[in-house]
C-alpha cells in the first residue's frame, strides 16, 4: 500500500505545465531538426543558392544553426538552457534573414516564431518581451534602409519605402500581440484545467484511502468473529465427551482462559 501511495504521489506531481513544456519542446526540436535537414540538403544540392540565401539567410548561418540545433536535440541539456538556445537560434535566423532580404524575406516569420516559442515555453510576459526584442532590429534596419545607410545583401531585393517598413512593422506587432494574447488565454485555461484535475485526483485518493480503512476494519472484525466461532466449536468438541462434573468444570475453565482470554471465571 505504501508503494502504491508513493506511485500516486509521483503521478500527481507529474501533472504540471512544466512537464508538458519539456515534452513538447522535445517534439518541436525533433521536428525542427527534420525540417532543417531537408533545408540544408536542398541548399547544398541546389544550383540556385542565391534564392536559398534570400529565404533562409546565408548558407553559413544555416549550417551553424543546424549543427547547434542537432546538438541540443540529441543532448538532454537542462530545460532552461535548451529553450534559451532554441530561442536564440530562431532570433539569429530572423536577424540573418532581415539583413539579407530586408522586409521581403522570411525574417518576420522567424521573429514571430521566436515570440510564439518564448510565450509557449516560458510565459506570456516572456512572449511580450520577445515581441519588443524582435521589433528592435526591424525598426533599426528599416531606419537604416529607408535613409540609404544600408541595403539588403541579397541580390535583387528592393530596399522598400518608409510606408512599406511601417506597414510591415505594424503587421509584425499586430500578429505578435495576437500570439501573446492567445497564449495567455491558453495558459490560463490550461492551468485552471490542471488544477481541477489535481483536485479530482486528490478527491479520488481520499475516497480510496477511506475505503481501504473501512475494508481493513471490516476484515479485522470478521477475523475476530471467525476466531471466536472456531474457539466455540473447539470448546464444545473438547467437553462433549467428559462425564465427570469436576473434570468438566476444570476443563471448561482452562479452555475459557485459553481461547477467550477470561482469567477470573467464577
Amino acid at each position: 500500500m505504501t508503494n502504491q501511495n508513493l506511485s500516486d504521489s509521483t503521478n500527481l506531481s507529474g501533472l504540471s505545465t512544466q512537464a508538458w513544456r519539456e515534452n513538447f519542446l522535445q517534439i518541436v526540436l525533433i521536428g525542427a531538426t527534420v525540417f532543417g535537414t531537408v533545408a540544408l540538403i536542398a541548399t547544398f544540392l541546389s544550383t540556385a543558392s542565391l534564392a536559398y540565401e534570400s529565404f533562409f539567410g546565408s548558407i553559413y548561418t544555416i549550417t551553424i544553426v543546424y549543427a547547434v540545433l542537432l546538438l541540443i536535440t540529441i543532448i538532454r541539456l537542462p530545460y532552461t538552457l535548451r529553450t534559451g538556445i532554441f530561442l536564440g537560434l530562431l532570433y539569429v535566423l530572423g536577424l540573418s534573414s532581415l539583413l539579407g532580404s530586408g522586409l521581403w524575406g522570411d525574417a518576420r516569420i522567424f521573429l514571430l516564431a521566436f515570440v510564439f516559442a518564448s510565450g509557449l515555453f516560458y510565459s506570456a510576459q516572456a512572449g511580450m518581451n520577445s515581441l519588443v526584442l524582435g521589433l528592435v532590429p526591424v525598426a533599426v534596419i528599416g531606419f537604416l534602409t529607408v535613409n540609404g545607410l544600408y541595403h539588403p545583401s541579397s541580390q535583387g531585393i528592393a530596399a522598400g519605402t518608409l510606408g512599406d517598413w511601417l506597414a510591415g512593422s505594424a503587421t509584425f506587432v499586430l500578429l505578435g500581440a495576437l500570439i501573446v494574447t492567445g497564449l495567455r488565454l491558453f495558459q490560463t485555461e490550461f492551468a485552471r484545467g490542471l488544477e481541477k484535475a489535481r483536485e479530482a485526483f486528490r478527491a479520488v485518493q481520499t475516497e480510496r484511502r477511506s475505503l481501504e480503512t473501512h475494508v481493513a476494519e471490516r476484515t479485522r472484525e470478521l477475523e475476530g468473529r471467525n476466531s471466536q466461532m472456531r474457539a466455540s466449536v473447539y470448546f464444545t468438541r473438547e467437553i462433549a465427551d467428559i462425564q465427570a462434573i469436576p473434570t468438566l468444570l476444570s476443563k471448561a475453565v482452562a479452555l475459557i482462559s485459553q481461547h477467550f482470554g477470561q482469567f477470573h471465571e467464577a
Side-chain angles (χ1 to χ4, degrees):
M1 186 179 297
T2 303
N3 293 336
Q4 183 66 30
N5 291 336
L6 291 176
S7 176
D8 290 340
S9 300
T10 302
N11 293 335
L12 183 60
S13 63
L15 295 173
S16 67
T17 306
Q18 185 64 27
W20 179 87
R21 283 173 172 167
E22 291 179 2
N23 294 331
F24 189 70
L25 175 62
Q26 183 64 27
I27 295 174
V28 170
L29 290 177
I30 294 174
T33 302
V34 173
F35 175 77
T37 303
V38 175
L40 190 63
I41 293 175
T43 301
F44 279 110
L45 295 181
S46 176
T47 56
S49 58
L50 291 178
Y52 281 96
E53 288 185 8
S54 65
F55 188 78
F56 293 105
S58 70
I59 190 172
Y60 304 106
T61 303
I62 300 172
T63 305
I64 295 173
V65 167
Y66 176 78
V68 175
L69 178 64
L70 186 62
L71 286 176
I72 64 173
T73 302
I74 296 175
I75 302 175
R76 300 295 294 225
L77 299 173
Y79 172 79
T80 303
L81 181 59
R82 295 179 87 194
T83 307
I85 294 175
F86 179 64
L87 294 178
L89 294 180
L90 290 175
Y91 192 78
V92 167
L93 286 174
L95 186 60
S96 175
S97 180
L98 191 63
L99 291 172
S101 305
L103 187 64
W104 316 111
D106 59 312
R108 285 176 295 176
I109 296 177
F110 283 116
L111 292 177
L112 285 174
F114 171 68
V115 173
F116 177 77
S118 298
L120 183 65
F121 295 126
Y122 285 115
S123 64
Q125 183 60 48
M128 184 61 68
N129 296 337
S130 299
L131 178 61
V132 175
L133 188 60
L135 184 61
V136 170
V138 174
V140 171
I141 295 176
F143 174 80
L144 295 177
T145 303
V146 169
N147 288 277
L149 301 176
Y150 179 79
H151 191 278
S153 58
S154 298
Q155 298 180 5
I157 298 297
T161 64
L162 177 60
D164 294 331
W165 282 94
L166 289 177
S169 300
T171 301
F172 173 74
V173 172
L174 177 60
L175 292 176
L178 289 175
I179 289 173
V180 172
T181 302
L183 285 174
R184 178 178 285 111
L185 293 175
F186 167 76
Q187 290 170 353
T188 300
E189 292 300 321
F190 186 87
R192 188 177 302 168
L194 187 60
E195 184 59 30
K196 289 182 179 179
R198 287 174 173 170
E199 291 177 359
F201 192 86
R202 284 191 289 264
V204 170
Q205 279 191 314
T206 302
E207 283 293 325
R208 193 194 65 186
R209 283 193 293 266
S210 176
L211 181 61
E212 288 177 348
T213 302
H214 181 68
V215 170
E217 291 175 354
R218 291 291 296 168
T219 301
R220 286 193 297 268
E221 182 180 346
L222 290 175
E223 288 178 349
R225 291 181 179 179
N226 290 335
S227 177
Q228 290 180 356
M229 184 173 294
R230 287 194 299 269
S232 299
V233 172
Y234 177 76
F235 175 81
T236 303
R237 189 168 48 202
E238 287 292 321
I239 66 175
D241 297 331
I242 300 177
Q243 302 297 326
I245 298 300
T247 305
L248 177 63
L249 293 176
S250 177
K251 184 67 174 180
V253 168
L255 290 174
I256 291 173
S257 299
Q258 179 181 355
H259 293 283
F260 295 98
Q262 302 295 329
F263 301 98
H264 302 282
E265 298 78 2

